[in-house]
C-alpha cells in the first residue's frame, strides 16, 4: 500500500498546508479549494486508499475521524449552526485523492441532495 499520497506528504510536513489539528493518528487541514466558509479535511496519518479498503482493525480510527470532526466543528464555531461530514469513495463520488478523508463543511446553508 503506497505511503506517498498527497495527503501523506501533508501529514509528514513535506507539503505545506493549513493544519488545524494533528496527533499520532489523524491530521486535519484546510481544503485548498474551500467549498464553504469552513472546509476542513480530516485524514488518518496512515494511508487507507478508500473506504472499501478499511477493515475491522480500522474501526477505532474511523470513529476518531468523526470525533475529530465533532470537536473541530465546535472549535470552529459551526456545531450549533450546522455542518456536514462527507467521505467520497471512488469515481462516481468524485474521490480525487486515494487516502480516505472526511470533509467537514459548514458556515453557510448547505443544499441537499448534493450534486
Ligand atoms: P475528494 O474529491 O473527496 O477526494 O477531496 C479531495 C479534496 O482535497 C478536494 O476538496 C481538494 O480541494 C483538496 N485538496 C487537493 N489538494 C490539496 C492540498 N494540497 N491541500 C489541501 N487540500 C487539497
Amino acid at each position: 500500500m503506497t505511503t506517498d499520497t498527497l495527503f501523506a506528504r501533508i501529514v509528514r510536513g513535506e507539503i505545506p498546508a493549513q493544519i488545524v489539528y494533528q496527533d499520532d493518528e489523524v491530521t486535519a487541514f484546510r481544503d485548498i479549494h474551500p467549498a464553504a466558509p469552513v472546509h476542513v479535511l480530516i485524514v488518518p496519518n496512515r494511508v487507507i486508499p478508500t473506504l472499501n479498503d478499511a477493515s475491522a482493525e480500522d474501526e477505532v480510527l474511523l470513529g476518531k475521524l468523526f470525533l475529530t470532526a465533532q470537536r473541530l466543528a465546535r472549535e470552529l464555531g459551526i456545531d450549533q449552526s450546522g455542518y456536514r461530514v462527507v467521505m467520497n469513495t471512488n469515481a462516481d463520488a468524485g474521490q480525487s485523492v486515494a487516502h480516505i478523508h472526511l470533509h467537514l463543511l459548514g458556515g453557510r446553508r448547505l443544499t441537499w441532495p448534493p450534486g
Side-chain angles (χ1 to χ4, degrees):
M1 191 178 290
T2 179
T3 57
D4 202 23
T5 68
L6 172 65
F7 292 166
R9 297 184 70 195
I10 288 175
V11 167
R12 296 196 299 264
E14 296 168 6
I15 291 179
Q18 275 188 270
I19 292 179
V20 295
Y21 178 74
Q22 184 164 46
D23 66 20
D24 288 346
E25 293 168 322
V26 304
T27 299
F29 51 92
R30 302 269 182 183
D31 195 292
I32 202 166
H33 298 302
V38 173
H39 189 174
V40 170
L41 302 176
I42 304 155
V43 309
N45 294 348
R46 173 165 61 80
V47 178
I48 301 170
T50 79
L51 189 56
N52 292 335
D53 302 300
S55 66
E57 287 173 12
D58 302 314
E59 194 171 329
V60 172
L61 183 60
L62 294 172
K64 182 158 183 178
L65 296 180
F66 275 91
L67 289 178
T68 301
Q70 178 210 59
R71 186 168 45 72
L72 289 175
R74 190 169 59 244
E75 290 176 7
L76 295 170
I78 56 170
D79 58 321
Q80 297 305 311
S81 52
Y83 59 93
R84 186 170 295 160
V85 175
V86 178
M87 183 180 288
N88 295 319
T89 299
N90 282 341
D92 273 2
Q95 182 179 2
S96 61
V97 180
H99 184 153
I100 62 169
H101 45 283
L102 281 185
H103 294 255
L104 169 64
L105 296 148
R108 67 170 171 83
R109 183 63 67 97
L110 301 167
T111 58
W112 188 265

